[in-house]
């Protein structure tokens, strides 16, 4: 029986969480598991990726060895209703934020055509705006949207931190859920915030989930968009 697909993503990568992300990446390298790195130009506490050359350098280096870079919002500011940044944005406002974020990532050599909104929550307006700015893949809590082909692949995110809980009971439940998904050959999407990787419990739970998925023959990969095959001339 063929194994499931395994995608592991890390969010919230910045100056204060880079060391934890690097340590986790080393553990994944030992297992042959590439990472999908969710990157935002701005984060809380006046953080600016453009002013953090060490994190930029590490992200660029990781991409050269097979990791994927995914845009993860612009500044992750909550809306007036206290929902995540792209959760209820209209099309025009989402387009402006996407353009601003895209410009920053291009400037630091990390431009990507993949997008995952903060907390994986994307409004219909944002989904409509993404292809207008050149994005080809949108990742939501329950699905992977190919914006060029108009197809949707259903697969839930199993996460720790950044919108997900991080208590020990949740970590245990995540591991068990990951095993069930891997056993039935489904697409297993694991997600963890870099801040939680500095805590032994969440970090070990994510490693355990990966190890058990690999034990059940899961095939590691990253979020990616495959271009159309060029049609042969008649």
């Amino acid at each position: 029986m063929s194994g499931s697909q395994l995608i592991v993503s890390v969010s919230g990568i910045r100056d204060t969480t880079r060391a934890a992300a690097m340590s986790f990446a080393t553990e994944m390298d030992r297992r042959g598991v590439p990472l999908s790195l969710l990157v935002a130009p701005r984060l809380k506490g006046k953080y600016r990726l453009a002013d953090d050359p060490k994190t930029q350098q590490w992200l660029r280096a990781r991409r050269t060895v097979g990791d994927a870079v995914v845009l993860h919002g612009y500044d992750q500011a909550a809306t007036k209703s206290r929902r995540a940044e792209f959760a209820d944005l209209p099309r025009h406002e989402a387009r402006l934020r996407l353009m601003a974020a895209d410009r920053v990532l291009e400037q630091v050599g990390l431009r990507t055509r993949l997008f995952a909104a903060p907390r994986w929550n994307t409004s219909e307006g944002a989904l409509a705006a993404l292809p207008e700015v050149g994005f080809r893949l949108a990742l939501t809590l329950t699905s992977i949207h190919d914006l060029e082909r108009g197809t949707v692949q259903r697969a839930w995110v199993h996460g720790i931190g950044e919108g997900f809980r991080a208590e020990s009971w949740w970590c245990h439940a995540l591991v068990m859920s990951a095993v069930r998904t891997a056993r039935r050959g489904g697409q297993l999407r694991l997600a963890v915030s870099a801040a939680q990787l500095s805590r032994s419990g969440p970090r070990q739970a994510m490693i355990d989930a990966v190890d058990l998925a690999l034990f059940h023959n899961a095939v590691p990969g990253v979020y990616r968009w495959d271009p159309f095959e060029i049609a042969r001339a008649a």
Side-chain angles (χ1 to χ4, degrees), residues 2-7 32-34 182 186 188 213-214 216-222:
S2 61
S4 65
Q5 293 177 291
L6 169 65
I7 297 179
V33 177
L188 177 56
L214 294 175
H216 289 287
N217 302 312
V219 179
V222 295

Side-chain angles (χ1 to χ4, degrees), residues 146-160:
D146 186 321
L147 302 169
E148 291 282 312
R149 295 176 174 85
T151 59
V152 180
Q153 179 182 3
R154 300 293 180 186
W156 280 85
V157 175
H158 302 262
I160 298 176

